[in-house]
Amino acid sequence: MVKDDACTFDVHAGEMGGWPPVVRQAIRYAQSANYNPEDIPSQARDYIRGSMQKFARKMKAEAKRFSSLKRHQRWGFKAPISQMLLPFLEEVFPGFSFVHVLRDGRDLPFSKNQSPVDKFYDALYRDAGSSVLNLPPKHKAIKMWSDANTQVLQYMESVQIPSKGSTYLPLKIEMSVEEESLLQIGYVCNQKLELGYKREDMCCRLRGYIRLLKQKDFFNGIKKRYGKWRQKTESNPGLRQALHLHGKNGLQKFKYLDEHGEDTTVVTPLHDVPSFRICDDVEEVETCEFDFPSKCIESPNIR
């Protein structure tokens, strides 16, 4: 992974002035994450393209340096808001693979991090009218989650996969709170993204990572972050109803609600779940390389 933050693994795109000004230019004209760059006015389009070229040069240089040190052939970066720029990312990273990590949108209104809404909501809904622009903050959070993520899904399924040959892998972050499901995610990523790890090597790396997480009691801590919306809305049925109203499309698309609009109390994976336990038949090795500083587990951004 090319990264600026060793703990969150995020890249901040400083070489183009950060993500916000570039993303806002795209979505204020497109009003969506599913768009054709040619439909954006030329001045804004040229600015976005120039910015993305700067970003791509930096990423490719970093990836080349990293690959020579680590001997990896595949590389990637993490920047959640970059999903609003997928049509422009295709121009600088043709046929890219996209791992779409989702969190239950009903939890987002209760997160301390409301910067996506603060930075991008008004641009995305610039022409939507006062009834949308003046929604209460919690309603805005789940509406933007639902609309943006379903638009990303539509773009990948209608453009990138059929005409560009991209690999698309949607995953739920809630699947990472158990040891076996975390191993399953590693296995599915290795297979679908063709990362090339032998299962013995993959299990060794993931076990080392999981061992460190367990030492820090990470799993118990992280479980408390997910599904908090139930407790938060238990005594406020009006808010719960509003979350389902504004988030219904995305909640159903990504299987947080069933086809009847009912809550799925058990987390339903978006990927194909292997029918066997991933590492049970792989011998344990005491030490194995994995790239994650132990101090990061204590970070509130990770917890």
Side-chain angles (χ1 to χ4, degrees):
M1 291 284 288
V2 177
K3 53 188 180 289
D4 291 325
D5 188 313
C7 291
T8 66
F9 281 68
D10 286 311
V11 294
H12 304 308
E15 59 282 342
M16 63 179 190
W19 293 108
V22 183
V23 171
R24 278 195 291 264
Q25 279 290 305
I27 62 177
R28 73 189 298 264
Y29 292 109
Q31 304 281 279
S32 175
N34 181 12
Y35 56 88
N36 184 335
E38 297 304 319
D39 293 335
I40 291 176
S42 60
Q43 186 173 356
R45 185 173 65 243
D46 291 345
Y47 163 71
I48 298 166
R49 281 178 170 156
S51 298
M52 295 305 294
Q53 287 164 5
K54 291 177 186 176
F55 174 72
R57 285 195 294 270
K58 170 72 178 301
M59 289 297 99
K60 290 174 182 177
E62 285 294 300
K64 185 176 181 181
R65 182 179 66 85
F66 184 78
S67 297
S68 66
L69 293 172
K70 297 284 186 176
R71 301 181 300 280
H72 297 320
Q73 298 302 311
R74 302 296 298 273
W75 65 277
F77 66 89
K78 170 180 171 263
I81 196 60
S82 69
Q83 71 177 23
M84 307 304 286
L85 295 170
L86 293 181
F88 285 102
L89 282 170
E90 164 59 26
E91 295 181 350
V92 292
F93 302 119
F96 62 81
S97 297
F98 179 47
V99 181
H100 189 185
V101 180
L102 294 126
R103 180 180 177 184
D104 189 333
R106 294 167 293 188
D107 277 339
L108 297 190
F110 306 102
S111 169
K112 293 179 180 178
N113 179 16
Q114 293 299 313
S115 64
V117 175
D118 295 339
K119 293 176 181 177
F120 305 112
Y121 187 90
D122 286 351
L124 184 60
Y125 297 104
R126 183 180 67 155
D127 299 328
S130 59
S131 62
V132 172
L133 289 170
N134 295 329
L135 283 172
K138 286 182 171 56
H139 300 191
K140 286 182 176 181
I142 192 166
K143 178 173 177 57
M144 192 169 81
W145 172 88
S146 177
D147 291 346
N149 283 297
T150 54
Q151 290 159 5
V152 165
L153 173 64
Q154 290 162 0
Y155 173 77
M156 291 302 298
E157 290 185 338
S158 64
V159 179
Q160 283 299 133
I161 296 172
S163 63
K164 310 295 184 181
S166 288
T167 297
Y168 173 57
L169 178 58
L171 298 171
K172 288 183 177 178
I173 194 68
E174 293 87 358
M175 294 295 295
S176 67
V177 300
E178 301 288 350
E179 183 173 345
E180 183 60 26
S181 60
L182 194 56
L183 290 170
Q184 289 176 351
I185 288 174
Y187 177 83
V188 169
C189 287
N190 189 43
Q191 295 292 109
K192 186 141 189 184
L193 302 175
E194 299 179 350
L195 300 181
Y197 287 110
K198 294 180 180 178
R199 192 152 63 94
E200 292 80 2
D201 188 30
M202 182 201 72
C203 287
C204 184
R205 290 168 182 267
L206 288 173
R207 280 170 171 163
Y209 177 53
I210 289 169
R211 191 179 302 122
L212 180 59
L213 295 179
K214 291 169 78 172
Q215 287 172 1
K216 302 291 185 178
D217 197 28
F218 178 82
F219 288 111
N220 287 330
I222 202 69
K223 285 178 185 178
K224 297 175 183 176
R225 289 186 61 178
Y226 304 134
K228 67 172 72 173
W229 68 270
R230 292 189 176 88
Q231 179 187 359
K232 295 286 188 180
T233 62
E234 191 172 13
S235 59
N236 191 342
L239 177 57
R240 180 174 291 197
Q241 184 179 22
L243 295 183
H244 285 127
L245 172 66
H246 293 295
K248 182 179 179 180
N249 194 21
L251 292 170
Q252 287 188 315
K253 282 282 187 185
F254 298 110
K255 300 182 182 179
Y256 289 104
L257 295 177
D258 65 22
E259 64 272 18
H260 306 295
E262 298 296 324
D263 181 37
T264 54
T265 54
V266 177
V267 178
T268 305
L270 300 173
H271 58 276
D272 294 330
V273 178
S275 59
F276 59 94
R277 292 182 64 83
I278 302 302
C279 297
D280 276 12
D281 61 342
V282 177
E283 182 181 357
E284 290 232 23
V285 179
E286 192 63 32
T287 59
C288 197
E289 175 193 4
F290 62 98
D291 186 17
F292 192 73
S294 61
K295 66 182 177 65
C296 293
I297 297 177
E298 302 302 327
S299 165
N301 293 325
I302 302 300
R303 285 274 183 182

